[in-house]
Amino acid sequence: MEDASRLAFRERKGAEALAVIPAPSMLSWEQMPREPHLLDYLIILRKHQWLMLTFLVTVVTVVTIASFKMKPVYEAAARVEVDKESQGMLPFQPGAGYDDEYVDMQQYVETQTKILQSETLALQTIKSLDLGRYPEFGGSSSALVFKQGGAAPKRPAILGAFLRSLSVKLVPNSRLVEVRFEAQDPQLAAQVVNTHVQNYIEANFRSKYDA
């Protein structure tokens, strides 16, 4: 009985000793997970160096050509003080409050701002300086001709170019109006601003004289 138990124990022990344990899977060095190293980035850069160099040269060439072809634009500015003359002999009229005077003054300043950027005053400035002879405004004396088409005549291209270069803004908390003009010639830009403001002043004086 004792020999049978010993034999069974030895058989169980031999069976346990012969158990097969699966071996861990072997991975290559390239497939093993690891942290990226600086050498990896250098290898990638060296692999694509000609592509990056070609792209860099192309960008620099395009930017250089565009810079040489681009013409500088100059801006001249002038400020005009807008003041409404009193319609009465006394500074304070009965029934007129400070708020009414302030609103009336603001409306008057906004009206003068619209006049400064109107087509009528722009045409007068264009004629005064004969801007049509300049290349950026057409380079032709007949550039101010209104073309007939449809019910109303079309606006000349020189007038549209003038108004796009003209900027009139009200200075906050003041009665000052700032007039700006852009041109490729700095002297022309200053001349246009001065002439435009002078034409406005003369037109304002004529309207008051006629009134």
Side-chain angles (χ1 to χ4, degrees):
M1 192 71 181
E2 184 177 354
D3 296 336
S5 61
R6 289 179 180 178
L7 181 60
F9 176 74
R10 290 177 180 176
E11 289 179 355
R12 268 199 314 271
K13 187 176 181 181
E16 292 178 357
L18 294 175
V20 178
I21 302 175
S25 59
M26 299 298 293
L27 298 176
S28 61
W29 184 81
E30 292 81 0
Q31 296 176 349
M32 293 179 62
R34 60 188 181 86
E35 294 292 332
H37 194 266
L38 180 61
L39 183 60
D40 300 333
Y41 297 106
L42 293 178
I43 293 175
I44 295 175
L45 291 177
R46 187 173 181 180
K47 183 178 180 181
H48 302 283
Q49 60 180 351
W50 293 111
L51 178 61
M52 292 185 294
L53 183 61
T54 304
F55 177 76
L56 180 62
V57 172
T58 303
V59 171
V60 173
T61 304
V62 171
V63 172
T64 303
I65 295 175
S67 301
F68 278 109
K69 287 187 176 182
M70 188 180 299
K71 296 182 180 180
V73 177
Y74 301 92
E75 185 180 52
R79 288 187 175 183
V80 184
E81 182 179 2
V82 179
D83 193 7
K84 183 179 180 182
E85 294 183 357
S86 178
Q87 299 295 334
M89 297 297 296
L90 298 177
F92 298 100
Q93 300 295 330
Y98 174 78
D99 294 338
D100 296 335
E101 290 290 335
Y102 177 78
V103 172
D104 189 34
M105 185 63 195
Q106 288 297 112
Q107 293 178 351
Y108 179 78
V109 173
E110 291 179 1
T111 302
Q112 300 305 308
T113 303
K114 297 296 183 182
I115 294 175
L116 277 166
Q117 52 188 346
S118 64
E119 293 185 357
T120 303
L121 190 62
L123 287 172
Q124 186 177 353
T125 304
I126 292 172
K127 293 179 180 179
S128 300
L129 297 175
D130 192 15
L131 293 180
R133 57 192 174 93
Y134 292 93
E136 57 183 307
F137 292 103
S140 174
S141 300
S142 60
L144 202 57
V145 178
F146 284 83
K147 297 180 180 180
Q148 299 293 333
K154 295 183 179 179
R155 187 172 65 176
I158 186 175
L159 181 58
F162 182 90
L163 293 177
R164 285 193 297 270
S165 301
L166 181 67
S167 174
V168 180
K169 294 182 180 179
L170 177 64
V171 179
N173 302 323
S174 68
R175 295 194 302 268
L176 296 176
V177 178
E178 189 176 62
V179 182
R180 292 179 174 271
F181 192 82
E182 296 180 350
Q184 297 176 1
D185 185 1
Q187 296 181 357
L188 178 62
Q191 190 176 5
V192 169
V193 166
N194 294 332
T195 304
H196 195 70
V197 171
Q198 186 64 31
N199 289 338
Y200 162 75
I201 295 174
E202 292 177 359
N204 198 14
F205 281 154
R206 282 197 302 269
S207 63
K208 291 180 180 179
Y209 177 79
D210 295 338

